Amino acid sequence: MSRKKVRIHHFKEMKQRGEKIAMLTAYDFPTARAFDAGGADILLVGDSLGDNMLGMESTVPLTLDEMVPFARAVVRGAEHAFVIADLPFGSYEVSPEQAVESAIRMVKLSGAHAIKFEGGRRVARQVKAVTDAGIPFCGHLGFTPQSETALGGRRIQGRGEHGIEDLVADALALQEAGAFAVVLEMVIAPAAKAVTEALDIPTIGIGAGPDTDGQVLVWLDMAGVGEWHPRFSKQFGAVGQAMVDASAAYVDEVKAVSFPAAEHTFES
Ligand code: KIV
C-alpha cells in the first residue's frame, strides 16, 4: 500500500483515534530519507543540531542561518514525513515581530512545514503572531535546553507543589495561541498525562513516559551513535559501532592493498 504524505490535520485525528505519533530528529538528507522510509510521521530539525552534530557545548550558540541548510536538506529527503524546524535561541524571544520574521525566514528558505520554539505563557504572544501569519507551530515545554542555565541544569520538570498546574497552564496557553502540538521534554509521567488529557492537540514526549500522544528521540540516541545517551532514551541499533567497524575494515584493506580490487577498477 502506498504511504500517504503526513499533513497537519492528521495529528489531531491520530490523537482522537489513539494512534501514537512517531517523531525523530534528522539533520541531513540521508538520515531524512532513512527515517522517512522507516515510517516516521514527523522529522524534527531540532536545535540539538548544535550540540549533537556541530560539536557545540549546547544549543545556545546555534543561529538561524546555520540551521537553514540542514533544514532544507531534511525537507529534500522527506517524501512522506512532516518536517518541523526549530527556531534557535535569540531568534524569537524579543517580540512577536521578531518571531514572525524568523519563522518566515526559516519556512521560506528551508521549506519546513512548521516551526517549533521553547516556552509557554511567556511566548504566547509570539506563538499567536506566528500562527496568525499562517505558519503551523509546535510548542516545547518541560525541560527546555535553551534555558538550561535558568532552570539550574538538566532537571526533570513538573515536580513541586505547582509543577503540574504550571505545565497544564503553559500547554493550554500554547493551544489557545494556535499550536498544533506540544513537545514535553523530561517531565514526570503524571504531569505529561495531565497535560495530554487537558489538551485537544497532541503531546509528543521525550523522557515524559508512555501517556503522551507520541514520542520523539534525538536520532543518535535512537540509533546508538555516541558514548552517552540519556536514561529516558533507548538504543534501537548500534550504528556508531557499525560505522567504526566499517571504517576500520576500509582502512585495513587500503593498507593491505586489497581495495580497490579488479571489480572496482577501470582498465580502459
Ligand atoms: O532540538 C531537539 O532535538 C528537540 C527535541 C529534544 C525535542 O527539541
Side-chain angles (χ1 to χ4, degrees):
M1 201 177 70
S2 72
R3 194 175 157 223
K4 277 210 285 192
K5 207 165 171 57
V6 181
R7 298 192 188 277
I8 191 155
H9 59 276
H10 292 147
F11 303 123
K12 224 175 186 174
E13 293 168 7
M14 288 167 87
K15 176 170 179 129
Q16 280 160 2
R17 65 172 180 266
E19 178 184 343
K20 298 284 184 184
I21 298 165
M23 170 156 132
L24 275 175
T25 67
Y27 312 103
D28 59 23
F29 181 75
T31 53
R33 290 261 298 218
F35 304 154
D36 190 86
D41 299 303
I42 304 179
L43 298 179
L44 169 67
V45 190
D47 60 354
S48 51
L49 166 69
D51 43 349
N52 280 276
M53 301 301 289
L54 302 181
M56 294 173 175
E57 275 188 10
S58 72
T59 60
V60 170
L62 192 67
T63 66
L64 184 62
D65 286 345
E66 283 171 322
M67 286 194 72
V68 165
F70 293 91
R72 183 82 200 116
V74 170
V75 171
R76 288 191 193 111
E79 206 184 320
H80 307 282
F82 190 83
V83 179
I84 303 177
D86 265 350
L87 289 190
F89 179 67
S91 68
Y92 60 92
E93 297 89 340
V94 176
S95 64
E97 291 73 22
Q98 188 204 25
V100 173
E101 273 171 25
S102 298
I104 288 176
R105 188 168 167 75
M106 176 58 90
V107 166
K108 218 176 173 65
L109 297 183
S110 74
H113 306 128
I115 60 137
K116 166 169 99 48
F117 52 76
E118 298 178 1
R121 286 161 287 180
R122 71 182 167 87
V123 294
R125 287 184 321 127
Q126 278 88 331
V127 175
K128 174 92 172 62
V130 165
T131 58
D132 281 350
I135 299 172
F137 174 81
C138 176
H140 186 156
L141 296 173
F143 174 67
T144 44
Q146 293 176 8
S147 319
E148 179 168 342
T149 313
L151 292 172
R154 284 181 59 84
R155 293 159 67 106
I156 293 153
Q157 303 294 306
R159 290 180 168 152
E161 201 186 343
H162 301 294
I164 295 184
E165 219 175 285
D166 280 346
L167 267 178
V168 170
D170 279 331
L172 285 171
L174 294 178
Q175 175 172 274
E176 178 68 25
F180 72 90
V182 178
V183 167
L184 298 176
E185 180 164 356
M186 272 177 33
V187 307
I188 54 169
K193 191 166 190 282
V195 172
T196 302
E197 285 171 358
L199 294 185
D200 299 325
I201 57 172
T203 55
I204 302 177
I206 173 163
D211 294 319
T212 51
D213 299 304
Q215 296 291 330
V216 55
L217 282 178
V218 168
W219 83 258
L220 300 110
D221 296 327
M222 178 279 298
V225 179
E227 289 82 49
W228 178 85
H229 305 289
R231 182 172 87 77
F232 60 72
S233 70
K234 176 174 171 181
Q235 288 64 65
F236 293 83
V239 173
Q241 193 54 49
M243 289 172 74
V244 172
D245 294 347
S247 60
Y250 163 76
V251 170
D252 282 351
E253 291 203 17
V254 169
K255 303 277 182 196
V257 202
S258 55
F259 174 83
E263 66 268 31
H264 312 118
T265 303
F266 305 109
E267 291 295 352
S268 59

